[in-house]
Amino acid sequence: MLIIGIDYHPSFQQIAFLDQETGEYDERRLNHSDGEAERFYRELKQRGVSVRVGMEATGYSRWFERLLAELGFEVWIGDAAEISRQRVRKQKTDREDARLLLRLLRENRFPRIWVPSPENRDLRQLLWHRHRLVQMRTRIMNQLQAVAMNEGCRWKKKLFSEKGRALLEKLSLAPWASRRRKELLELLDQLDPKIAELTTAVEQEAKKRPEVLLLMTHPGVGSITGLAYILVIGTPERFPCGKQIGSYTGLIPCEDSSAGRQRLGHISKQGNTLLRFLLVEAAQAAARCNPNWRRRYLHLMMRREKKNCQGGHGQETGGSVVLDVAKQLAIFTVG
């Protein structure tokens, strides 16, 4: 078998490889744009060489992973943080990184991680696309609110009702402000049907999965949150207990404890940002609509001595309470 350690970059890759039968070792730099990397691996396939590839988890490598899967090569994706901890020397170069990956493969110390399937990744694109469009719509709506408030009209949600929109369109504005209002409304009209179409697609995908339907029985969890949870968590058997889900989604506090003194900071935010965002939204909905979770929310407020929300400290404490509820939601859903 030929073992290859790859330090992957968007435009090129530095490789170090070893033939286990002959002991032959070599290093190369393969460019992507001119097809040099693809030709190298296709030549190995034509020679009938069995190949195992090890590389760090990184972005912009989907095409390369598809190529290796097409050729039937074994691909191991490693935890970048764990690999970095294995680095002893302070000299960090592309060649040294490739050598390190090769050494970890040879010594059976490569920190391999779970990799989602192509279908899983494609469905994540559906969720991300909808999420980004919703963010764009929110920014547009905020700008329209600003236009109305500058004219002395503070209508909040009523601004986007049929009556509120008619009043907004009747406001007498200066030429450029009028053009801004018009084009923002046009963008809003374009985004609404697209978001509705994507939401319908998410709901259809959620109905195909019994585990998503089970999660939707939990207060605050809808089709979007449930589908994102299943796609990101993947195989639940990877986690021995529910508390590890909170760590995986980045909802546990950072810690810098020493000499018997515990120091906890903000949440780590290590993990999928979309899932964490949706879990916080689910926690807010559960605390607002469900009496049982409302009691838990109030209990956390009393424990953290939440003050008037008009003050800065009160806002910070209230936010941490919602994150606590979100973490409990994550633990509950896997347990």
Side-chain angles (χ1 to χ4, degrees):
M1 174 177 286
L2 189 69
I3 302 178
I4 305 177
I6 301 178
D7 182 40
Y8 186 90
H9 297 267
S11 58
F12 72 93
Q13 56 182 265
Q14 180 71 36
I15 67 172
F17 55 93
L18 174 71
D19 190 325
Q20 288 186 312
E21 293 184 2
T22 64
E24 179 185 358
Y25 172 85
D26 199 0
E27 298 178 1
R28 290 189 188 181
R29 177 187 172 106
L30 304 175
N31 293 320
H32 296 160
S33 57
D34 59 359
E36 181 183 9
E38 183 173 354
R39 288 194 300 271
F40 173 79
Y41 293 101
R42 290 195 180 278
E43 288 175 2
L44 293 178
K45 178 64 176 179
Q46 292 175 358
R47 289 161 47 192
V49 179
S50 178
V51 177
R52 176 181 296 165
V53 170
M55 57 186 292
E56 292 183 2
T58 183
Y60 313 111
S61 62
R62 300 286 172 81
W63 72 271
F64 182 58
E65 294 177 31
R66 286 196 300 267
L67 171 65
L68 296 180
E70 175 191 341
L71 298 176
F73 293 164
E74 191 175 357
V75 184
W76 288 14
I77 306 296
D79 185 340
E82 289 291 338
I83 292 173
S84 180
R85 276 195 285 269
Q86 300 291 338
R87 187 178 293 109
V88 178
R89 299 183 62 184
K90 293 186 177 181
Q91 287 76 22
K92 183 184 182 304
T93 64
D94 295 339
R95 295 181 64 183
E96 287 295 333
D97 288 344
R99 292 169 184 168
L100 173 61
L101 292 168
L102 177 61
R103 185 168 70 251
L104 294 177
L105 287 169
R106 290 178 57 195
E107 299 173 357
N108 293 323
R109 295 190 297 117
F110 191 82
R112 192 177 182 183
I113 61 174
W114 173 78
V115 178
S117 65
E119 180 189 6
N120 184 311
R121 287 176 166 176
D122 191 49
L123 285 176
R124 291 190 191 193
Q125 293 299 312
L126 166 62
L127 293 172
W128 270 114
H129 185 45
R130 183 194 175 278
H131 180 64
R132 294 305 186 194
L133 291 183
V134 170
Q135 287 181 325
M136 292 170 60
R137 183 177 64 180
T138 302
R139 294 189 185 101
I140 291 172
M141 294 171 71
N142 289 340
Q143 292 182 64
L144 290 170
Q145 287 282 7
V147 170
M149 291 176 65
N150 281 327
E151 300 302 319
C153 303
R154 191 167 184 267
W155 297 325
K156 297 184 178 180
K157 293 182 179 179
K158 295 180 181 179
L159 179 66
F160 303 103
S161 64
E162 184 177 350
K163 182 179 178 180
R165 174 159 179 164
L167 293 174
L168 176 63
E169 292 176 343
K170 290 180 181 179
L171 290 177
S172 179
L173 302 176
W176 284 110
S178 177
R179 175 173 175 175
R180 181 189 181 197
R181 174 187 58 187
K182 176 185 176 182
E183 294 183 354
L184 287 174
L185 289 172
E186 290 175 353
L187 290 173
L188 188 62
D189 292 338
Q190 294 174 12
L191 286 175
D192 282 337
K194 293 180 180 179
I195 294 173
E197 180 184 355
L198 295 174
T199 302
T200 302
V202 172
E203 292 173 351
Q204 292 175 351
E205 291 294 337
K207 292 178 181 178
K208 299 177 183 178
R209 293 166 171 77
E211 58 271 26
V212 177
L213 298 177
L214 178 62
L215 289 177
M216 289 171 62
T217 61
H218 189 284
V221 178
S223 57
I224 296 172
T225 304
L227 182 61
Y229 190 91
I230 292 300
L231 293 178
V232 173
I233 298 304
T235 308
E237 292 76 14
R238 298 188 294 140
F239 304 95
C241 63
K243 291 184 179 180
Q244 291 192 1
I245 297 293
S247 176
Y248 185 74
T249 53
L251 291 172
I252 63 170
C254 298
E255 184 171 3
D256 185 17
S257 301
S258 179
R261 182 175 179 180
Q262 188 179 40
R263 299 180 181 88
L264 300 178
H266 57 77
I267 61 172
S268 65
K269 296 186 180 180
Q270 292 179 315
N272 189 280
T273 56
L274 176 59
L275 178 59
R276 187 165 54 252
F277 173 86
L278 293 174
L279 284 175
V280 172
E281 278 196 335
Q284 292 173 330
R288 184 174 59 252
C289 304
N290 184 269
N292 183 31
W293 281 96
R294 180 66 179 174
R295 284 194 297 270
R296 299 190 186 191
Y297 177 85
L298 295 175
H299 174 73
L300 287 170
M301 284 198 305
M302 294 174 60
R303 192 181 73 188
R304 290 176 174 264
E305 300 178 357
K306 180 179 179 182
K307 299 182 180 180
N308 192 335
C309 287
Q310 295 179 354
H313 178 71
Q315 291 177 345
E316 180 182 354
T317 307
S320 61
V321 168
V322 172
L323 290 173
D324 274 353
V325 177
K327 183 171 66 175
Q328 293 183 38
L329 269 172
I331 294 172
F332 174 88
T333 47
V334 78

